[in-house]
Amino acid sequence: MRSRTYRQRDLACTEYTLDVPLDHTRPDGERIEVYAREVVDPAKADADLPRLVYLQGGPGGKGHRPTSRSGWLARALRDYRVVLLDQRGTGLSTPANRQTLPRRGDARAQAEYLTHFRADSIVADAELLRRELQGDQPWSALGQSYGGFCALTYLSFAPEGLKEVYVTGGLPPLGGGADEVYALTYVRTAEKNARYFDRHPGDRDLCARIVEHLRHNEVHLPTGERLTARRFQTAGMGLGMRGNFDGLHYLLEEAFVDGVGGPELSDTFLTGVASGVSFATNPLYAVLHESIYCQGTASDWSAERLYAQRPEFALGVDTPFLFTGEMIYPFVFDADPALIPLREAADQLAAKDDWPALYDPDRLALNKVPTYAALYYEDMYVAREHSLATANAVARLTPWITNEHEHDGLRLGGVFGRLLDLARETP
């Protein structure tokens, strides 16, 4: 393992780069790099503090890049050295994207490579890093959103590596498949739409006007591709985070300007939409999203199939407009320049029906690692029904159910602090 230490404002940082097997069942085979940044309060740099590994939301999200000691990190640094892991394929951990994946060969080879980028492999990477840093001593884990999924995989297959676990908005369903997930995700997304349009009632007609304009005009995003009505509809991805309600409204209020030929969509609006619907910075989110729910079944483009069964989301002239949310549709692989080269590999992954298990319900039922989980009652991304069922199925898991917080990885300070208090209060 290679390392480098430096100071960054009010943080002491150490970077680690570790070679790990691509396929952990073949430890002597091909290897890739995994990167992590450890941060600590400079005043405690020489103290014997326990480590907390932060498992980032996603999939396909790189580790948090701190610029100061603030938010949840400020709270964590009171008690821990914090390890910010770039999950494999993201950030500085051997990136997997449209530029690197074609080096693997054809679509089948790319898809086979990507089967090694789910939570089971992420946990195995984390275990190798932990043993390099502290031998047999377990560490604590904080899993945000998809990071919580990874934490449950960790508890299933390597609980000996964990001293305690904190989960914020990320208790996954332990069984079933993508269809069961999206059946509830569409319900929550419709509820979020109702709340959004109650706050900004004029935006519904404005969105319908945008859809109608896109139907009759060829409009291109700054990145060059055509903006379709279906792709505009996906701009609701962030509606599950409270701060994005007003951000979306501010974007929509500047949608139209009067051009030479009449009303047209403004550059300001199109630039904002391009940023919101592009997966250029996190392509694995789109490529792997449905597979994170698969255990022995194929997703078969679940979100698209269920979309056809949800007439309230149809972009019909007589149907009130609704945004979609955390759904990945096959058409985005024909539209997003960051995804177009990966369409065939994504199709192969959607058809894969022999995904290995990500959780061990029997082992979780006997779990001995203290686990504390925040469940957001109105969560648009992780349905409370599934999270509550999982909370009841995992031994030594203490849930905190709240509607005071939303699913937002940048606003974890209060939530993490509450879980730490819960840990102190629990016998």
Side-chain angles (χ1 to χ4, degrees), residues 71-93:
W72 72 268
L73 186 60
R75 179 62 188 85
L77 290 176
R78 295 185 203 172
D79 305 305
Y80 298 100
R81 296 177 178 274
V82 178
V83 178
L84 304 167
L85 176 68
D86 278 358
Q87 298 168 12
R88 53 171 52 199
T90 75
L92 298 177
S93 293

PDB file of all heavy atoms in Angstrom, residues 71-93:
ATOM      1  N   GLY A  71     -20.190  20.206   8.981  1.00  0.00           N
ATOM      2  CA  GLY A  71     -21.258  19.229   8.816  1.00  0.00           C
ATOM      3  C   GLY A  71     -21.013  17.944   9.592  1.00  0.00           C
ATOM      4  O   GLY A  71     -20.498  17.948  10.710  1.00  0.00           O
ATOM      5  N   TRP A  72     -21.391  16.829   8.985  1.00  0.00           N
ATOM      6  CA  TRP A  72     -21.248  15.530   9.662  1.00  0.00           C
ATOM      7  C   TRP A  72     -19.783  15.217   9.948  1.00  0.00           C
ATOM      8  O   TRP A  72     -19.458  14.575  10.950  1.00  0.00           O
ATOM      9  CB  TRP A  72     -21.875  14.416   8.820  1.00  0.00           C
ATOM     10  CG  TRP A  72     -21.093  14.060   7.575  1.00  0.00           C
ATOM     11  CD1 TRP A  72     -21.263  14.576   6.331  1.00  0.00           C
ATOM     12  CD2 TRP A  72     -20.013  13.128   7.490  1.00  0.00           C
ATOM     13  NE1 TRP A  72     -20.348  14.038   5.461  1.00  0.00           N
ATOM     14  CE2 TRP A  72     -19.574  13.139   6.142  1.00  0.00           C
ATOM     15  CE3 TRP A  72     -19.375  12.300   8.398  1.00  0.00           C
ATOM     16  CZ2 TRP A  72     -18.524  12.339   5.694  1.00  0.00           C
ATOM     17  CZ3 TRP A  72     -18.328  11.505   7.954  1.00  0.00           C
ATOM     18  CH2 TRP A  72     -17.913  11.536   6.612  1.00  0.00           C
ATOM     19  N   LEU A  73     -18.897  15.699   9.068  1.00  0.00           N
ATOM     20  CA  LEU A  73     -17.481  15.412   9.255  1.00  0.00           C
ATOM     21  C   LEU A  73     -16.961  16.077  10.535  1.00  0.00           C
ATOM     22  O   LEU A  73     -16.164  15.472  11.273  1.00  0.00           O
ATOM     23  CB  LEU A  73     -16.685  15.881   8.045  1.00  0.00           C
ATOM     24  CG  LEU A  73     -15.192  15.537   8.025  1.00  0.00           C
ATOM     25  CD1 LEU A  73     -14.980  14.029   8.074  1.00  0.00           C
ATOM     26  CD2 LEU A  73     -14.531  16.123   6.790  1.00  0.00           C
ATOM     27  N   ALA A  74     -17.409  17.292  10.796  1.00  0.00           N
ATOM     28  CA  ALA A  74     -16.987  17.972  12.022  1.00  0.00           C
ATOM     29  C   ALA A  74     -17.390  17.159  13.240  1.00  0.00           C
ATOM     30  O   ALA A  74     -16.618  17.021  14.198  1.00  0.00           O
ATOM     31  CB  ALA A  74     -17.600  19.373  12.083  1.00  0.00           C
ATOM     32  N   ARG A  75     -18.607  16.607  13.209  1.00  0.00           N
ATOM     33  CA  ARG A  75     -19.064  15.788  14.342  1.00  0.00           C
ATOM     34  C   ARG A  75     -18.241  14.511  14.443  1.00  0.00           C
ATOM     35  O   ARG A  75     -17.839  14.102  15.546  1.00  0.00           O
ATOM     36  CB  ARG A  75     -20.554  15.456  14.174  1.00  0.00           C
ATOM     37  CG  ARG A  75     -21.109  14.571  15.300  1.00  0.00           C
ATOM     38  CD  ARG A  75     -21.007  15.267  16.634  1.00  0.00           C
ATOM     39  NE  ARG A  75     -21.342  14.403  17.754  1.00  0.00           N
ATOM     40  CZ  ARG A  75     -20.473  13.586  18.351  1.00  0.00           C
ATOM     41  NH1 ARG A  75     -19.218  13.533  17.908  1.00  0.00           N
ATOM     42  NH2 ARG A  75     -20.837  12.855  19.384  1.00  0.00           N
ATOM     43  N   ALA A  76     -17.974  13.883  13.334  1.00  0.00           N
ATOM     44  CA  ALA A  76     -17.229  12.622  13.357  1.00  0.00           C
ATOM     45  C   ALA A  76     -15.803  12.820  13.854  1.00  0.00           C
ATOM     46  O   ALA A  76     -15.253  11.967  14.563  1.00  0.00           O
ATOM     47  CB  ALA A  76     -17.227  11.997  11.966  1.00  0.00           C
ATOM     48  N   LEU A  77     -15.196  13.937  13.484  1.00  0.00           N
ATOM     49  CA  LEU A  77     -13.788  14.160  13.828  1.00  0.00           C
ATOM     50  C   LEU A  77     -13.567  14.429  15.317  1.00  0.00           C
ATOM     51  O   LEU A  77     -12.432  14.438  15.780  1.00  0.00           O
ATOM     52  CB  LEU A  77     -13.218  15.314  13.005  1.00  0.00           C
ATOM     53  CG  LEU A  77     -13.031  14.999  11.512  1.00  0.00           C
ATOM     54  CD1 LEU A  77     -12.556  16.234  10.755  1.00  0.00           C
ATOM     55  CD2 LEU A  77     -12.063  13.845  11.309  1.00  0.00           C
ATOM     56  N   ARG A  78     -14.638  14.603  16.063  1.00  0.00           N
ATOM     57  CA  ARG A  78     -14.476  14.701  17.519  1.00  0.00           C
ATOM     58  C   ARG A  78     -13.974  13.387  18.107  1.00  0.00           C
ATOM     59  O   ARG A  78     -13.266  13.378  19.108  1.00  0.00           O
ATOM     60  CB  ARG A  78     -15.805  15.059  18.175  1.00  0.00           C
ATOM     61  CG  ARG A  78     -16.378  16.402  17.840  1.00  0.00           C
ATOM     62  CD  ARG A  78     -17.624  16.611  18.687  1.00  0.00           C
ATOM     63  NE  ARG A  78     -18.545  17.581  18.099  1.00  0.00           N
ATOM     64  CZ  ARG A  78     -19.761  17.808  18.567  1.00  0.00           C
ATOM     65  NH1 ARG A  78     -20.188  17.136  19.635  1.00  0.00           N
ATOM     66  NH2 ARG A  78     -20.552  18.688  17.985  1.00  0.00           N
ATOM     67  N   ASP A  79     -14.396  12.289  17.467  1.00  0.00           N
ATOM     68  CA  ASP A  79     -14.150  10.970  18.057  1.00  0.00           C
ATOM     69  C   ASP A  79     -13.358  10.017  17.172  1.00  0.00           C
ATOM     70  O   ASP A  79     -12.876   8.995  17.663  1.00  0.00           O
ATOM     71  CB  ASP A  79     -15.488  10.298  18.385  1.00  0.00           C
ATOM     72  CG  ASP A  79     -16.374  11.147  19.261  1.00  0.00           C
ATOM     73  OD1 ASP A  79     -15.904  11.554  20.335  1.00  0.00           O
ATOM     74  OD2 ASP A  79     -17.523  11.427  18.864  1.00  0.00           O
ATOM     75  N   TYR A  80     -13.230  10.325  15.877  1.00  0.00           N
ATOM     76  CA  TYR A  80     -12.696   9.343  14.928  1.00  0.00           C
ATOM     77  C   TYR A  80     -11.641   9.933  13.999  1.00  0.00           C
ATOM     78  O   TYR A  80     -11.628  11.139  13.730  1.00  0.00           O
ATOM     79  CB  TYR A  80     -13.824   8.797  14.039  1.00  0.00           C
ATOM     80  CG  TYR A  80     -14.932   8.067  14.730  1.00  0.00           C
ATOM     81  CD1 TYR A  80     -16.144   8.705  15.007  1.00  0.00           C
ATOM     82  CD2 TYR A  80     -14.791   6.721  15.079  1.00  0.00           C
ATOM     83  CE1 TYR A  80     -17.188   8.026  15.615  1.00  0.00           C
ATOM     84  CE2 TYR A  80     -15.835   6.033  15.684  1.00  0.00           C
ATOM     85  CZ  TYR A  80     -17.029   6.698  15.956  1.00  0.00           C
ATOM     86  OH  TYR A  80     -18.057   6.025  16.564  1.00  0.00           O
ATOM     87  N   ARG A  81     -10.840   9.035  13.477  1.00  0.00           N
ATOM     88  CA  ARG A  81     -10.181   9.249  12.193  1.00  0.00           C
ATOM     89  C   ARG A  81     -11.184   8.779  11.138  1.00  0.00           C
ATOM     90  O   ARG A  81     -11.714   7.672  11.243  1.00  0.00           O
ATOM     91  CB  ARG A  81      -8.916   8.408  12.085  1.00  0.00           C
ATOM     92  CG  ARG A  81      -7.839   8.775  13.090  1.00  0.00           C
ATOM     93  CD  ARG A  81      -6.641   7.839  12.975  1.00  0.00           C
ATOM     94  NE  ARG A  81      -5.611   8.239  13.915  1.00  0.00           N
ATOM     95  CZ  ARG A  81      -4.675   9.148  13.676  1.00  0.00           C
ATOM     96  NH1 ARG A  81      -4.631   9.717  12.469  1.00  0.00           N
ATOM     97  NH2 ARG A  81      -3.792   9.473  14.583  1.00  0.00           N
ATOM     98  N   VAL A  82     -11.444   9.593  10.139  1.00  0.00           N
ATOM     99  CA  VAL A  82     -12.476   9.264   9.154  1.00  0.00           C
ATOM    100  C   VAL A  82     -11.820   8.843   7.850  1.00  0.00           C
ATOM    101  O   VAL A  82     -11.003   9.581   7.278  1.00  0.00           O
ATOM    102  CB  VAL A  82     -13.418  10.458   8.922  1.00  0.00           C
ATOM    103  CG1 VAL A  82     -14.461  10.103   7.860  1.00  0.00           C
ATOM    104  CG2 VAL A  82     -14.104  10.854  10.233  1.00  0.00           C
ATOM    105  N   VAL A  83     -12.180   7.650   7.374  1.00  0.00           N
ATOM    106  CA  VAL A  83     -11.640   7.106   6.125  1.00  0.00           C
ATOM    107  C   VAL A  83     -12.690   7.286   5.035  1.00  0.00           C
ATOM    108  O   VAL A  83     -13.789   6.719   5.109  1.00  0.00           O
ATOM    109  CB  VAL A  83     -11.273   5.619   6.282  1.00  0.00           C
ATOM    110  CG1 VAL A  83     -10.750   5.055   4.962  1.00  0.00           C
ATOM    111  CG2 VAL A  83     -10.237   5.442   7.393  1.00  0.00           C
ATOM    112  N   LEU A  84     -12.361   8.097   4.046  1.00  0.00           N
ATOM    113  CA  LEU A  84     -13.262   8.408   2.938  1.00  0.00           C
ATOM    114  C   LEU A  84     -12.850   7.558   1.742  1.00  0.00           C
ATOM    115  O   LEU A  84     -11.856   7.833   1.072  1.00  0.00           O
ATOM    116  CB  LEU A  84     -13.189   9.901   2.607  1.00  0.00           C
ATOM    117  CG  LEU A  84     -13.488  10.836   3.794  1.00  0.00           C
ATOM    118  CD1 LEU A  84     -13.084  12.266   3.458  1.00  0.00           C
ATOM    119  CD2 LEU A  84     -14.957  10.765   4.172  1.00  0.00           C
ATOM    120  N   LEU A  85     -13.616   6.520   1.495  1.00  0.00           N
ATOM    121  CA  LEU A  85     -13.272   5.523   0.482  1.00  0.00           C
ATOM    122  C   LEU A  85     -13.851   5.890  -0.875  1.00  0.00           C
ATOM    123  O   LEU A  85     -15.043   6.183  -0.995  1.00  0.00           O
ATOM    124  CB  LEU A  85     -13.811   4.159   0.927  1.00  0.00           C
ATOM    125  CG  LEU A  85     -13.642   2.983  -0.033  1.00  0.00           C
ATOM    126  CD1 LEU A  85     -12.168   2.608  -0.182  1.00  0.00           C
ATOM    127  CD2 LEU A  85     -14.460   1.786   0.454  1.00  0.00           C
ATOM    128  N   ASP A  86     -13.003   5.902  -1.910  1.00  0.00           N
ATOM    129  CA  ASP A  86     -13.498   5.929  -3.290  1.00  0.00           C
ATOM    130  C   ASP A  86     -13.841   4.495  -3.674  1.00  0.00           C
ATOM    131  O   ASP A  86     -12.943   3.667  -3.880  1.00  0.00           O
ATOM    132  CB  ASP A  86     -12.425   6.466  -4.247  1.00  0.00           C
ATOM    133  CG  ASP A  86     -12.350   7.977  -4.270  1.00  0.00           C
ATOM    134  OD1 ASP A  86     -13.145   8.628  -3.571  1.00  0.00           O
ATOM    135  OD2 ASP A  86     -11.483   8.505  -4.981  1.00  0.00           O
ATOM    136  N   GLN A  87     -15.124   4.174  -3.710  1.00  0.00           N
ATOM    137  CA  GLN A  87     -15.511   2.814  -4.082  1.00  0.00           C
ATOM    138  C   GLN A  87     -14.973   2.488  -5.468  1.00  0.00           C
ATOM    139  O   GLN A  87     -14.842   3.359  -6.327  1.00  0.00           O
ATOM    140  CB  GLN A  87     -17.031   2.678  -4.044  1.00  0.00           C
ATOM    141  CG  GLN A  87     -17.600   2.907  -2.653  1.00  0.00           C
ATOM    142  CD  GLN A  87     -19.107   3.052  -2.635  1.00  0.00           C
ATOM    143  OE1 GLN A  87     -19.782   2.777  -3.623  1.00  0.00           O
ATOM    144  NE2 GLN A  87     -19.656   3.493  -1.511  1.00  0.00           N
ATOM    145  N   ARG A  88     -14.645   1.227  -5.673  1.00  0.00           N
ATOM    146  CA  ARG A  88     -14.014   0.834  -6.940  1.00  0.00           C
ATOM    147  C   ARG A  88     -14.783   1.371  -8.146  1.00  0.00           C
ATOM    148  O   ARG A  88     -16.013   1.388  -8.187  1.00  0.00           O
ATOM    149  CB  ARG A  88     -13.884  -0.691  -7.026  1.00  0.00           C
ATOM    150  CG  ARG A  88     -15.162  -1.468  -6.787  1.00  0.00           C
ATOM    151  CD  ARG A  88     -15.009  -2.945  -7.110  1.00  0.00           C
ATOM    152  NE  ARG A  88     -13.870  -3.559  -6.440  1.00  0.00           N
ATOM    153  CZ  ARG A  88     -13.312  -4.701  -6.814  1.00  0.00           C
ATOM    154  NH1 ARG A  88     -13.799  -5.370  -7.863  1.00  0.00           N
ATOM    155  NH2 ARG A  88     -12.278  -5.214  -6.161  1.00  0.00           N
ATOM    156  N   GLY A  89     -14.014   1.846  -9.111  1.00  0.00           N
ATOM    157  CA  GLY A  89     -14.595   2.408 -10.322  1.00  0.00           C
ATOM    158  C   GLY A  89     -14.882   3.887 -10.248  1.00  0.00           C
ATOM    159  O   GLY A  89     -15.266   4.494 -11.250  1.00  0.00           O
ATOM    160  N   THR A  90     -14.722   4.504  -9.056  1.00  0.00           N
ATOM    161  CA  THR A  90     -15.055   5.922  -8.879  1.00  0.00           C
ATOM    162  C   THR A  90     -13.824   6.706  -8.440  1.00  0.00           C
ATOM    163  O   THR A  90     -12.874   6.145  -7.893  1.00  0.00           O
ATOM    164  CB  THR A  90     -16.157   6.102  -7.825  1.00  0.00           C
ATOM    165  OG1 THR A  90     -15.610   5.904  -6.503  1.00  0.00           O
ATOM    166  CG2 THR A  90     -17.304   5.135  -8.036  1.00  0.00           C
ATOM    167  N   GLY A  91     -13.856   8.010  -8.655  1.00  0.00           N
ATOM    168  CA  GLY A  91     -12.781   8.872  -8.184  1.00  0.00           C
ATOM    169  C   GLY A  91     -11.421   8.401  -8.649  1.00  0.00           C
ATOM    170  O   GLY A  91     -11.171   8.220  -9.843  1.00  0.00           O
ATOM    171  N   LEU A  92     -10.531   8.156  -7.688  1.00  0.00           N
ATOM    172  CA  LEU A  92      -9.170   7.722  -7.985  1.00  0.00           C
ATOM    173  C   LEU A  92      -9.000   6.217  -7.867  1.00  0.00           C
ATOM    174  O   LEU A  92      -7.872   5.725  -7.888  1.00  0.00           O
ATOM    175  CB  LEU A  92      -8.188   8.454  -7.061  1.00  0.00           C
ATOM    176  CG  LEU A  92      -8.157   9.977  -7.213  1.00  0.00           C
ATOM    177  CD1 LEU A  92      -7.201  10.604  -6.208  1.00  0.00           C
ATOM    178  CD2 LEU A  92      -7.766  10.371  -8.633  1.00  0.00           C
ATOM    179  N   SER A  93     -10.091   5.497  -7.732  1.00  0.00           N
ATOM    180  CA  SER A  93     -10.040   4.028  -7.668  1.00  0.00           C
ATOM    181  C   SER A  93     -10.304   3.435  -9.054  1.00  0.00           C
ATOM    182  O   SER A  93     -11.450   3.186  -9.428  1.00  0.00           O
ATOM    183  CB  SER A  93     -11.075   3.500  -6.668  1.00  0.00           C
ATOM    184  OG  SER A  93     -10.760   3.870  -5.356  1.00  0.00           O
TER     185      SER A  93
END
